Amino acid sequence: AEPEHPYRSVYQRDRDRILHSSAFRRLSGKTQVFTGDMGDYHRTRLTHTYEVASIARTLSRALRLNEDLAEALALFHDVGHPPFGHAGEAALHACLRDHGGFSHNQHALTVAEEIEQRYPNFPGLNLTCEVLDSQVARAERAADSVPLLEAQIVDAADSITYDAHDTDDAVKLGLLNIEQLADIPLIARMVQRVRRRFATIDGSALRKALVHELIDYQVSDVLRVNDAALTQGNYSSAAEARQGGYRVRPSQELAEEKAELERYLYLAVYRHPRLLEVRAEAQQRLRELFDFLVGHPHHLPEFFQERIPGRGLQRAVGDYMAGMTDRFFRQQYERLRPGGTGG
Ligand code: MG
Protein backbone atom coordinates (compact mmCIF):
# COMPACT_ATOMS: atom_id res chain seq x y z
CA ALA A 1 0.00 0.00 0.00
CA GLU A 2 1.14 3.56 -0.68
CA PRO A 3 -0.52 6.93 -0.16
CA GLU A 4 -2.54 8.16 -3.11
CA HIS A 5 -1.09 10.81 -5.35
CA PRO A 6 -2.50 14.33 -4.79
CA TYR A 7 -3.84 14.81 -8.33
CA ARG A 8 -3.50 11.56 -10.27
CA SER A 9 -5.84 8.60 -9.88
CA VAL A 10 -4.19 5.29 -8.98
CA TYR A 11 -4.65 4.15 -12.59
CA GLN A 12 -3.15 7.35 -14.00
CA ARG A 13 -0.18 6.65 -11.78
CA ASP A 14 0.02 3.07 -13.08
CA ARG A 15 -0.11 4.42 -16.62
CA ASP A 16 2.76 6.80 -15.94
CA ARG A 17 4.87 4.14 -14.23
CA ILE A 18 4.38 1.84 -17.21
CA LEU A 19 5.15 4.67 -19.63
CA HIS A 20 8.39 5.50 -17.79
CA SER A 21 9.61 1.89 -17.57
CA SER A 22 12.47 0.76 -19.80
CA ALA A 23 10.45 -2.28 -20.90
CA PHE A 24 7.86 0.12 -22.36
CA ARG A 25 10.44 2.28 -24.16
CA ARG A 26 12.02 -0.81 -25.69
CA LEU A 27 8.75 -1.67 -27.42
CA SER A 28 9.89 0.81 -30.08
CA GLY A 29 12.63 -1.64 -31.07
CA LYS A 30 10.51 -4.78 -31.00
CA THR A 31 8.80 -6.49 -33.90
CA GLN A 32 5.01 -6.51 -34.04
CA VAL A 33 4.70 -8.63 -37.20
CA PHE A 34 7.25 -7.18 -39.62
CA THR A 35 10.90 -6.67 -38.70
CA GLY A 36 12.82 -3.40 -39.04
CA ASP A 37 14.78 -4.53 -42.09
CA MET A 38 11.52 -4.76 -44.07
CA GLY A 39 11.07 -0.97 -44.02
CA ASP A 40 9.99 1.81 -41.69
CA TYR A 41 6.30 2.23 -42.52
CA HIS A 42 4.83 -0.67 -40.58
CA ARG A 43 3.92 -0.89 -36.91
CA THR A 44 6.39 -1.65 -34.17
CA ARG A 45 5.13 -3.07 -30.91
CA LEU A 46 5.14 0.46 -29.48
CA THR A 47 2.95 2.02 -32.16
CA HIS A 48 0.66 -1.01 -31.99
CA THR A 49 0.39 -0.44 -28.23
CA TYR A 50 -0.57 3.21 -28.74
CA GLU A 51 -3.22 2.28 -31.28
CA VAL A 52 -4.68 -0.21 -28.79
CA ALA A 53 -4.64 2.42 -26.02
CA SER A 54 -6.33 5.00 -28.24
CA ILE A 55 -9.18 2.63 -29.19
CA ALA A 56 -9.51 1.28 -25.64
CA ARG A 57 -9.92 4.84 -24.35
CA THR A 58 -12.53 5.68 -26.97
CA LEU A 59 -14.53 2.55 -26.15
CA SER A 60 -14.19 3.01 -22.38
CA ARG A 61 -15.27 6.63 -22.43
CA ALA A 62 -18.27 5.92 -24.64
CA LEU A 63 -19.34 2.99 -22.41
CA ARG A 64 -18.66 5.02 -19.25
CA LEU A 65 -16.03 2.57 -18.01
CA ASN A 66 -12.81 3.67 -16.30
CA GLU A 67 -10.78 5.25 -19.09
CA ASP A 68 -7.60 5.63 -16.98
CA LEU A 69 -7.66 1.95 -16.06
CA ALA A 70 -8.24 0.91 -19.68
CA GLU A 71 -5.33 3.09 -20.80
CA ALA A 72 -2.99 1.62 -18.18
CA LEU A 73 -4.02 -1.91 -19.15
CA ALA A 74 -3.51 -1.17 -22.84
CA LEU A 75 -0.06 0.33 -22.35
CA PHE A 76 0.88 -2.67 -20.22
CA HIS A 77 -0.56 -5.46 -22.39
CA ASP A 78 2.51 -6.16 -24.58
CA VAL A 79 5.31 -5.04 -22.22
CA GLY A 80 6.45 -8.67 -21.77
CA HIS A 81 7.03 -9.32 -25.47
CA PRO A 82 10.50 -10.61 -26.40
CA PRO A 83 12.31 -9.52 -29.60
CA PHE A 84 10.99 -10.80 -32.98
CA GLY A 85 7.33 -11.02 -32.02
CA HIS A 86 5.61 -14.37 -31.77
CA ALA A 87 8.56 -16.10 -33.44
CA GLY A 88 10.77 -14.88 -30.61
CA GLU A 89 8.22 -15.99 -28.06
CA ALA A 90 8.01 -19.48 -29.60
CA ALA A 91 11.82 -19.74 -29.64
CA LEU A 92 12.19 -18.70 -25.99
CA HIS A 93 9.37 -21.04 -25.02
CA ALA A 94 11.23 -23.92 -26.69
CA CYS A 95 14.50 -22.94 -24.96
CA LEU A 96 12.73 -22.92 -21.59
CA ARG A 97 10.60 -26.00 -22.19
CA ASP A 98 12.12 -27.89 -19.25
CA HIS A 99 12.12 -24.78 -17.05
CA GLY A 100 8.49 -23.69 -17.08
CA GLY A 101 8.32 -22.35 -20.64
CA PHE A 102 7.92 -18.71 -21.65
CA SER A 103 4.84 -16.57 -22.27
CA HIS A 104 4.90 -12.82 -22.89
CA ASN A 105 1.79 -12.37 -20.74
CA GLN A 106 3.47 -14.07 -17.80
CA HIS A 107 6.70 -12.22 -18.44
CA ALA A 108 4.92 -8.84 -18.22
CA LEU A 109 4.21 -9.67 -14.56
CA THR A 110 7.88 -10.52 -13.94
CA VAL A 111 8.83 -7.20 -15.54
CA ALA A 112 6.37 -5.22 -13.40
CA GLU A 113 7.13 -6.99 -10.13
CA GLU A 114 10.83 -7.89 -10.33
CA ILE A 115 12.81 -6.57 -13.26
CA GLU A 116 11.87 -2.88 -13.29
CA GLN A 117 13.63 -1.36 -10.28
CA ARG A 118 13.05 2.37 -10.51
CA TYR A 119 11.71 3.37 -7.10
CA PRO A 120 13.77 3.32 -3.90
CA ASN A 121 10.79 2.68 -1.62
CA PHE A 122 9.38 -0.50 -3.24
CA PRO A 123 10.39 -3.27 -5.64
CA GLY A 124 8.97 -3.30 -9.17
CA LEU A 125 6.38 -0.77 -10.32
CA ASN A 126 3.87 -1.47 -7.53
CA LEU A 127 0.94 -1.41 -9.97
CA THR A 128 -2.64 -1.69 -8.72
CA CYS A 129 -4.29 -5.08 -8.16
CA GLU A 130 -6.67 -4.30 -11.05
CA VAL A 131 -3.81 -4.02 -13.55
CA LEU A 132 -1.87 -7.00 -12.18
CA ASP A 133 -4.95 -9.25 -11.84
CA SER A 134 -6.02 -8.40 -15.38
CA GLN A 135 -2.59 -9.41 -16.62
CA VAL A 136 -2.83 -12.68 -14.65
CA ALA A 137 -6.15 -13.29 -16.42
CA ARG A 138 -4.43 -12.68 -19.79
CA ALA A 139 -1.69 -15.14 -18.86
CA GLU A 140 -4.00 -17.86 -17.57
CA ARG A 141 -6.88 -17.47 -20.03
CA ALA A 142 -9.13 -19.61 -17.84
CA ALA A 143 -12.41 -20.16 -19.65
CA ASP A 144 -14.53 -19.50 -16.56
CA SER A 145 -12.83 -16.27 -15.44
CA VAL A 146 -14.55 -13.03 -16.34
CA PRO A 147 -11.95 -10.24 -16.54
CA LEU A 148 -12.70 -6.62 -15.63
CA LEU A 149 -14.73 -4.94 -18.35
CA GLU A 150 -11.83 -2.57 -19.00
CA ALA A 151 -9.53 -5.57 -19.57
CA GLN A 152 -12.07 -7.06 -21.97
CA ILE A 153 -12.22 -3.71 -23.77
CA VAL A 154 -8.43 -3.81 -24.18
CA ASP A 155 -8.67 -7.30 -25.71
CA ALA A 156 -11.34 -6.05 -28.12
CA ALA A 157 -9.20 -3.00 -28.97
CA ASP A 158 -6.16 -5.24 -29.52
CA SER A 159 -8.09 -7.35 -32.03
CA ILE A 160 -9.60 -4.32 -33.82
CA THR A 161 -6.14 -2.80 -34.05
CA TYR A 162 -4.18 -5.71 -35.44
CA ASP A 163 -6.83 -6.73 -37.97
CA ALA A 164 -6.70 -3.19 -39.36
CA HIS A 165 -2.98 -2.49 -39.17
CA ASP A 166 -1.77 -5.88 -40.35
CA THR A 167 -3.96 -5.44 -43.43
CA ASP A 168 -2.50 -1.97 -43.96
CA ASP A 169 1.12 -3.05 -43.42
CA ALA A 170 0.82 -6.12 -45.62
CA VAL A 171 -0.58 -4.12 -48.55
CA LYS A 172 1.99 -1.34 -48.08
CA LEU A 173 4.80 -3.93 -48.03
CA GLY A 174 3.42 -5.49 -51.22
CA LEU A 175 2.74 -8.91 -49.68
CA LEU A 176 -0.80 -8.68 -51.05
CA ASN A 177 -2.99 -6.15 -52.86
CA ILE A 178 -6.45 -4.74 -52.32
CA GLU A 179 -7.86 -6.61 -55.33
CA GLN A 180 -6.89 -9.91 -53.65
CA LEU A 181 -8.22 -8.70 -50.32
CA ALA A 182 -11.57 -7.78 -51.86
CA ASP A 183 -12.39 -11.51 -51.96
CA ILE A 184 -12.88 -11.25 -48.20
CA PRO A 185 -16.43 -10.13 -47.37
CA LEU A 186 -15.40 -7.67 -44.62
CA ILE A 187 -12.86 -5.94 -46.86
CA ALA A 188 -15.24 -5.93 -49.82
CA ARG A 189 -17.85 -4.19 -47.67
CA MET A 190 -15.32 -1.65 -46.36
CA VAL A 191 -14.19 -0.83 -49.92
CA GLN A 192 -17.85 -0.37 -50.88
CA ARG A 193 -18.38 2.00 -47.96
CA VAL A 194 -15.33 4.02 -48.91
CA ARG A 195 -16.36 4.18 -52.60
CA ARG A 196 -19.84 5.38 -51.66
CA ARG A 197 -18.19 8.57 -50.45
CA PHE A 198 -15.16 8.70 -52.75
CA ALA A 199 -16.22 7.04 -55.99
CA THR A 200 -12.90 7.04 -57.83
CA ILE A 201 -10.49 6.53 -54.95
CA ASP A 202 -7.64 4.09 -55.68
CA GLY A 203 -4.09 3.08 -54.87
CA SER A 204 -2.57 4.23 -51.60
CA ALA A 205 -5.47 6.63 -50.90
CA LEU A 206 -7.81 3.65 -51.02
CA ARG A 207 -5.55 1.64 -48.71
CA LYS A 208 -5.52 4.44 -46.14
CA ALA A 209 -9.26 5.04 -46.36
CA LEU A 210 -9.84 1.30 -46.04
CA VAL A 211 -7.85 1.18 -42.78
CA HIS A 212 -9.80 4.12 -41.31
CA GLU A 213 -13.02 2.40 -42.29
CA LEU A 214 -11.90 -0.94 -40.83
CA ILE A 215 -11.20 0.69 -37.48
CA ASP A 216 -14.28 2.92 -37.42
CA TYR A 217 -16.59 0.11 -38.48
CA GLN A 218 -15.30 -2.31 -35.84
CA VAL A 219 -15.27 0.27 -33.03
CA SER A 220 -18.82 1.36 -33.90
CA ASP A 221 -19.98 -2.28 -33.95
CA VAL A 222 -18.46 -3.09 -30.54
CA LEU A 223 -19.94 0.11 -29.09
CA ARG A 224 -23.42 -0.45 -30.49
CA VAL A 225 -23.61 -4.10 -29.42
CA ASN A 226 -22.24 -3.61 -25.91
CA ASP A 227 -24.07 -0.37 -25.20
CA ALA A 228 -27.31 -2.19 -25.99
CA ALA A 229 -26.39 -5.31 -23.99
CA LEU A 230 -25.24 -3.33 -20.94
CA THR A 231 -28.39 -1.22 -21.03
CA GLN A 232 -30.53 -4.31 -21.37
CA GLY A 233 -28.71 -6.00 -18.46
CA ASN A 234 -29.71 -3.02 -16.32
CA TYR A 235 -26.47 -3.25 -14.30
CA SER A 236 -25.83 -0.60 -11.69
CA SER A 237 -22.03 -0.78 -12.16
CA ALA A 238 -19.28 -2.35 -14.24
CA ALA A 239 -18.51 -4.61 -11.26
CA GLU A 240 -22.09 -5.87 -11.25
CA ALA A 241 -21.92 -6.60 -14.97
CA ARG A 242 -18.73 -8.54 -14.40
CA GLN A 243 -20.27 -10.52 -11.56
CA GLY A 244 -23.10 -11.35 -13.94
CA GLY A 245 -20.53 -12.91 -16.30
CA TYR A 246 -20.69 -10.09 -18.88
CA ARG A 247 -18.60 -10.62 -22.01
CA VAL A 248 -17.55 -7.74 -24.26
CA ARG A 249 -18.21 -8.95 -27.80
CA PRO A 250 -18.52 -7.73 -31.34
CA SER A 251 -21.75 -8.57 -33.19
CA GLN A 252 -22.06 -12.15 -34.42
CA GLU A 253 -21.75 -10.86 -37.98
CA LEU A 254 -18.52 -8.96 -37.30
CA ALA A 255 -17.07 -11.85 -35.28
CA GLU A 256 -17.53 -14.15 -38.28
CA GLU A 257 -16.14 -11.59 -40.71
CA LYS A 258 -13.11 -10.97 -38.50
CA ALA A 259 -12.44 -14.70 -38.23
CA GLU A 260 -12.46 -14.92 -42.02
CA LEU A 261 -10.10 -11.95 -42.40
CA GLU A 262 -7.77 -13.44 -39.77
CA ARG A 263 -7.71 -16.83 -41.52
CA TYR A 264 -6.73 -15.05 -44.70
CA LEU A 265 -4.06 -12.92 -43.02
CA TYR A 266 -2.68 -16.02 -41.33
CA LEU A 267 -2.07 -17.78 -44.63
CA ALA A 268 -1.22 -14.82 -46.87
CA VAL A 269 0.75 -12.68 -44.42
CA TYR A 270 1.88 -14.43 -41.25
CA ARG A 271 2.94 -17.51 -43.28
CA HIS A 272 4.35 -15.46 -46.17
CA PRO A 273 7.74 -16.87 -47.31
CA ARG A 274 9.48 -13.55 -46.57
CA LEU A 275 8.25 -13.61 -42.99
CA LEU A 276 8.93 -17.31 -42.51
CA GLU A 277 12.51 -16.76 -43.63
CA VAL A 278 13.13 -13.89 -41.20
CA ARG A 279 11.40 -15.87 -38.47
CA ALA A 280 13.42 -19.04 -38.99
CA GLU A 281 16.67 -17.11 -38.84
CA ALA A 282 15.62 -15.22 -35.71
CA GLN A 283 14.56 -18.43 -33.98
CA GLN A 284 17.81 -20.18 -34.85
CA ARG A 285 19.86 -17.26 -33.52
CA LEU A 286 17.81 -16.87 -30.35
CA ARG A 287 18.43 -20.52 -29.61
CA GLU A 288 22.18 -20.12 -30.23
CA LEU A 289 22.48 -17.06 -27.99
CA PHE A 290 20.39 -18.73 -25.29
CA ASP A 291 22.64 -21.83 -25.26
CA PHE A 292 25.74 -19.65 -25.32
CA LEU A 293 24.62 -17.56 -22.33
CA VAL A 294 23.62 -20.64 -20.35
CA GLY A 295 27.15 -21.95 -20.97
CA HIS A 296 28.80 -18.57 -20.29
CA PRO A 297 26.66 -16.81 -17.68
CA HIS A 298 29.44 -14.32 -16.88
CA HIS A 299 28.32 -12.55 -20.09
CA LEU A 300 25.00 -11.71 -18.43
CA PRO A 301 24.64 -8.22 -16.92
CA GLU A 302 25.18 -8.23 -13.17
CA PHE A 303 21.48 -7.76 -12.44
CA PHE A 304 20.63 -11.01 -14.22
CA GLN A 305 23.63 -12.89 -12.80
CA GLU A 306 22.33 -12.03 -9.35
CA ARG A 307 18.96 -13.53 -10.27
CA ILE A 308 20.47 -16.98 -11.05
CA PRO A 309 20.34 -18.41 -7.48
CA GLY A 310 16.67 -17.49 -6.95
CA ARG A 311 15.38 -17.90 -10.46
CA GLY A 312 17.57 -20.63 -11.95
CA LEU A 313 20.16 -20.18 -14.69
CA GLN A 314 17.89 -20.82 -17.68
CA ARG A 315 15.12 -18.51 -16.49
CA ALA A 316 17.61 -15.76 -15.67
CA VAL A 317 18.95 -16.01 -19.24
CA GLY A 318 15.37 -16.05 -20.60
CA ASP A 319 14.45 -12.94 -18.57
CA TYR A 320 17.49 -11.13 -19.93
CA MET A 321 16.84 -12.10 -23.55
CA ALA A 322 13.12 -11.28 -23.32
CA GLY A 323 14.03 -7.67 -22.52
CA MET A 324 16.15 -7.25 -25.66
CA THR A 325 15.06 -5.18 -28.64
CA ASP A 326 15.54 -6.77 -32.07
CA ARG A 327 18.55 -4.49 -32.64
CA PHE A 328 20.17 -5.15 -29.27
CA PHE A 329 19.74 -8.86 -29.85
CA ARG A 330 21.51 -8.60 -33.22
CA GLN A 331 24.34 -6.59 -31.64
CA GLN A 332 24.82 -9.15 -28.89
CA TYR A 333 24.67 -11.95 -31.41
CA GLU A 334 27.36 -10.30 -33.54
CA ARG A 335 29.50 -9.52 -30.52
CA LEU A 336 29.36 -12.94 -28.88
CA ARG A 337 29.12 -15.00 -32.10
CA PRO A 338 27.39 -17.90 -30.33
CA GLY A 339 27.06 -19.84 -33.61
CA GLY A 340 30.71 -19.26 -34.62
CA THR A 341 33.65 -21.61 -34.08
CA GLY A 342 35.11 -19.33 -31.41
CA GLY A 343 32.02 -20.15 -29.22
MG1 MG B 1 -1.22 -6.53 -28.67
Side-chain angles (χ1 to χ4, degrees), residues 45 48 77-78 158:
R45 208 155 278 282
H48 160 74
H77 90 282
D78 269 352
D158 195 19

Side-chain angles (χ1 to χ4, degrees), residues 90-342:
L92 272 185
H93 182 63
C95 292
L96 289 166
R97 185 164 290 142
D98 298 331
H99 308 276
F102 178 87
S103 105
H104 76 272
N105 282 321
Q106 190 64 48
H107 188 66
L109 292 164
T110 308
V111 167
E113 293 179 307
E114 300 174 31
I115 295 180
E116 291 288 336
Q117 299 291 344
R118 325 190 65 80
Y119 301 91
N121 45 338
F122 50 80
L125 302 177
N126 204 25
L127 303 176
T128 56
C129 300
E130 287 76 13
V131 170
L132 292 174
D133 285 349
S134 299
Q135 190 62 29
V136 170
R138 280 184 83 85
E140 292 176 352
R141 296 240 178 250
D144 56 344
S145 90
V146 181
L148 286 170
L149 266 62
E150 286 84 355
Q152 297 189 48
I153 285 292
V154 169
D155 280 346
D158 195 19
S159 168
I160 290 171
T161 308
Y162 58 65
D163 279 352
H165 70 44
D166 290 351
T167 302
D168 182 28
D169 291 349
V171 174
K172 172 72 181 179
L173 283 169
L175 302 185
L176 42 91
N177 59 49
I178 293 182
E179 289 69 44
Q180 293 168 310
L181 275 168
D183 290 341
I184 306 160
L186 179 60
I187 303 291
R189 208 141 53 81
M190 295 303 103
V191 170
Q192 231 176 39
R193 283 165 66 103
V194 170
R195 288 235 161 94
R196 232 177 277 149
R197 282 186 294 152
F198 310 102
T200 59
I201 196 168
D202 234 324
S204 83
L206 174 59
R207 187 192 79 241
K208 292 168 190 165
L210 172 66
V211 175
H212 298 156
E213 200 67 37
L214 257 176
I215 294 175
D216 193 59
Y217 179 79
Q218 293 183 85
V219 171
S220 304
D221 179 279
V222 169
L223 266 184
R224 180 173 45 76
V225 168
N226 291 281
D227 194 33
L230 286 166
T231 304
Q232 201 178 27
N234 207 19
Y235 305 110
S236 63
S237 67
E240 200 185 296
R242 185 192 183 194
Q243 276 154 20
Y246 189 83
R247 299 280 177 186
V248 171
R249 283 198 182 92
S251 66
Q252 186 62 30
E253 186 189 24
L254 179 61
E256 283 165 17
E257 286 174 336
K258 278 169 70 69
E260 200 162 340
L261 173 61
E262 285 164 14
R263 269 196 298 277
Y264 184 87
L265 289 175
Y266 180 79
L267 293 171
V269 180
Y270 309 139
R271 319 277 321 154
H272 192 280
R274 261 177 82 190
L275 254 78
L276 290 180
E277 198 183 307
V278 173
R279 205 170 286 177
E281 190 195 69
Q283 288 189 316
Q284 164 76 20
R285 292 184 165 194
L286 277 162
R287 170 98 240 178
E288 288 171 14
L289 188 61
F290 178 87
D291 289 342
F292 178 84
L293 289 170
V294 166
H296 306 78
H298 58 280
H299 282 292
L300 290 173
E302 219 176 281
F303 176 84
F304 291 94
Q305 287 189 38
E306 284 167 6
R307 283 171 65 78
I308 294 173
R311 186 84 168 142
L313 173 59
Q314 283 78 4
R315 294 213 69 83
V317 170
D319 288 348
Y320 173 51
M321 289 180 62
M324 294 180 175
T325 60
D326 298 1
R327 184 178 54 235
F328 184 76
F329 170 83
R330 287 203 178 97
Q331 282 171 356
Q332 292 305 300
Y333 185 89
E334 290 306 317
R335 192 172 73 83
L336 299 169
R337 299 205 164 276
T341 47

